[in-house]
């Protein structure tokens, strides 16, 4: 990985420093770029909330080789991890995009690297249209989950139909992108939705034969609305701290959200997951699976498919070791009991 990270540091110059610890401190306010919005508090809160969780270590048990596999929304995963949807290589990751490293190459690297590890990658959306074009191309060749922005009017349903034609198991919508006022300025408005509007989107996605995921849930009340609207899964996420300053970290709000909707919807979560131990922590706090964002971008820019493959192989080895040393033989065994002192907050 260190070679890939060195290459990524050169290619991402001016967009991402590829810091030894990706915690949102060096890239405050760098949106576009890879940073967090405003003071960077939301990005940093993701990191700090996860770091505050302490694990009960034990090696006096019967577990020999943990089984990292799981099933979420009927989708089999070799571990409870996916690559988060990330779009916009040319304005977020690289000032000068070398040939062979554009949006399509990025999506290919992410989806193929995930596939090689028995997990799924997600694709992003936005303006300009080459972001969704790249997603569609990638999803034609590989399994994956497309995420569409909450476009106002017909564009939302047109885009859902476009990605549904690739026959993904699920389609997501990052409802928190409704805060991207820049898109309205660019003449491509996105919008918040009430429960009835969300239910319409869920119904449309279901009619296409796909599960529906809503991403950007940060309160139990919103999680309950998502469940009532017929969503199959939520993603507890503050969008990597890129949408609203001063939100809590995902790990802070996850336990209360999980308590509210466990059994009604699948619960995904993301925000500053950097290691397999972080994966274990979010699962213990209530996630069925977690999404990883920026480290995947660094791996894809620095090493393409090989970089992403290597990253997730490393995460899997770390996750397995963390399961072993907390006495978890399978993903179902990962409960709040492995957290020292109960929930961190
Ligand atoms: C450069 C960048 C672009 C992103 N684009 C999207 C997107 O198109 N759709 C989406 O749902 N989330 C998007 N996200 C948010 C990620 O899916 C994810 O929620 C976040 O990055 C997780 O935090 P982490 O990067 O600290 O792991 C983006 C994040 C970054 C850093």
């Amino acid at each position: 990985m260190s070679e890939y990270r060195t290459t990524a540091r050169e290619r991402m110059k001016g967009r991402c420093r590829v810091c030894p610890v990706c915690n949102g401190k060096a890239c405050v306010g760098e949106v576009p770029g890879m940073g967090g919005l405003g003071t960077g508090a939301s990005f940093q809160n993701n990191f700090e909330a996860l770091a505050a969780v302490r694990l009960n270590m034990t090696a006096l048990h019967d577990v020999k080789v943990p089984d990292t596999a799981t099933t979420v929304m009927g989708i089999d995963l070799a571990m409870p991890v996916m690559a988060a949807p990330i779009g916009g290589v040319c304005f977020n990751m690289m000032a000068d995009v070398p040939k062979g490293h554009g949006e399509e190459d990025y999506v290919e690297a992410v989806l193929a690297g995930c596939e090689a590890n028995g997990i799924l990658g997600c694709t992003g959306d936005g303006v300009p249209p080459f972001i969704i074009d790249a997603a569609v191309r990638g999803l034609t060749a590989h399994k994956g989950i497309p995420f569409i922005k909450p476009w106002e009017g017909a564009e939302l349903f047109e885009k859902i139909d476009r990605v549904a034609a690739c026959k993904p198991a699920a389609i997501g919508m990052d409802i928190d992108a409704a805060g991207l006022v820049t898109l309205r300025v660019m003449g491509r408005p996105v919008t918040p939705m009430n429960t009835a509007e969300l239910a319409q989107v869920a119904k449309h996605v279901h009619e296409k034969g796909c599960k529906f995921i809503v991403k950007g849930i940060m309160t139990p009340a919103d999680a309950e609305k998502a469940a009532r609207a017929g969503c199959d899964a939520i993603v507890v996420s503050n969008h990597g701290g890129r949408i609203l300053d001063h939100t809590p970290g995902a790990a802070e709000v996850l336990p209360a959200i999980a308590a509210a909707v466990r059994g009604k919807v699948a619960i995904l979560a993301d925000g500053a997951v950097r290691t397999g131990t972080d994966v274990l922590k979010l699962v213990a706090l209530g996630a069925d699976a977690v999404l990883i964002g920026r480290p995947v971008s660094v791996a894809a820019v620095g090493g393409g498919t090989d970089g992403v493959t290597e990253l997730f192989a490393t995460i899997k080895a770390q996750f397995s070791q963390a399961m072993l040393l907390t006495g978890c033989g399978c993903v179902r065994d990962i409960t709040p009991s492995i957290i020292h002192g109960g929930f961190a907050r």
Side-chain angles (χ1 to χ4, degrees):
M1 277 313 295
S2 78
E3 248 176 59
Y4 298 140
R5 288 172 60 83
T6 303
T7 307
R9 196 171 292 114
E10 285 157 17
R11 291 195 179 135
M12 296 177 94
K13 218 176 199 139
R15 295 285 191 275
C16 176
R17 294 158 191 79
V18 189
C19 300
V21 180
C22 176
N23 57 11
K25 290 209 166 136
C27 50
V28 166
E30 295 181 6
V31 182
M34 297 299 286
L37 187 80
T39 66
S42 297
F43 180 175
Q44 291 174 31
N45 288 345
N46 278 337
F47 186 87
E48 279 157 23
L50 260 177
V53 178
R54 311 268 188 264
L55 297 167
N56 293 325
M57 189 174 80
T58 168
L60 296 178
H61 53 67
D62 289 325
V63 180
K64 304 288 182 213
V65 182
D67 178 4
T68 61
T70 192
T71 303
V72 181
M73 294 181 292
I75 303 168
D76 292 331
L77 299 169
M79 62 178 159
V81 176
M82 300 187 215
I86 287 196
V89 170
C90 64
F91 46 87
N92 286 318
M93 297 175 209
M94 288 183 268
D96 299 307
V97 181
K99 206 169 156 40
H101 295 275
E103 200 78 24
E104 281 187 5
D105 306 288
Y106 178 82
V107 171
E108 166 69 26
V110 172
L111 297 186
C114 285
E115 228 168 44
N117 279 283
I119 60 169
L120 285 186
C122 302
T123 59
D125 182 21
V127 175
F130 61 66
I131 299 178
I132 193 75
D133 293 345
V136 168
R137 200 184 161 102
L139 292 162
T140 307
H142 300 281
K143 284 187 192 162
I145 301 181
F147 277 74
I148 306 296
K149 302 237 170 295
W151 304 106
E152 222 170 69
E155 179 166 4
L156 172 63
F157 294 94
E158 282 162 17
K159 278 197 167 160
I160 288 173
D161 292 353
R162 225 183 132 197
V163 293
C166 305
K167 306 252 173 272
I171 296 176
M173 179 174 72
D174 48 325
I175 189 65
D176 51 359
L180 291 172
V181 283
T182 43
L183 292 178
R184 188 171 288 277
V185 173
M186 291 157 89
R188 303 280 299 283
V190 277
T191 179
M193 286 180 195
N194 61 31
T195 312
E197 290 164 327
L198 187 63
Q200 264 187 3
V201 183
K203 184 168 173 277
H204 188 84
V205 171
H206 288 154
E207 281 167 3
K208 299 282 160 194
C210 307
K211 305 274 193 211
F212 181 57
I213 308 170
V214 64
K215 176 168 178 282
I217 300 296
M218 287 294 283
T219 65
D222 269 12
E224 277 163 4
K225 284 181 191 172
R228 273 203 303 280
C231 300
D232 300 287
I234 57 169
V235 187
V236 177
S237 169
N238 65 13
H239 212 106
R242 295 168 66 81
I243 292 286
L244 176 68
D245 209 353
H246 299 293
T247 64
E252 286 175 81
V253 297
L254 177 57
I257 292 176
V261 294
R262 170 154 305 292
K264 297 182 193 164
V265 290
I267 301 166
L268 312 178
D270 73 20
V273 174
R274 302 292 176 254
T275 64
T277 310
D278 290 338
V279 174
L280 182 86
K281 288 180 179 182
L282 277 190
V283 174
L285 292 171
D288 295 307
V290 312
L291 275 48
I292 302 182
R294 293 171 176 93
V296 180
S297 300
V298 169
V301 169
T305 302
D306 290 348
V308 177
T309 303
E310 180 76 30
L311 173 74
F312 282 119
T314 306
I315 298 274
K316 190 166 174 214
Q318 293 166 341
F319 178 58
S320 177
Q321 192 189 11
M323 284 178 73
L324 187 78
L325 286 174
T326 50
C328 300
C330 64
V331 173
R332 251 192 336 275
D333 292 345
I334 306 171
T335 66
S337 66
I338 68 165
I339 296 176
H340 176 67
F343 290 132
R345 286 164 204 267

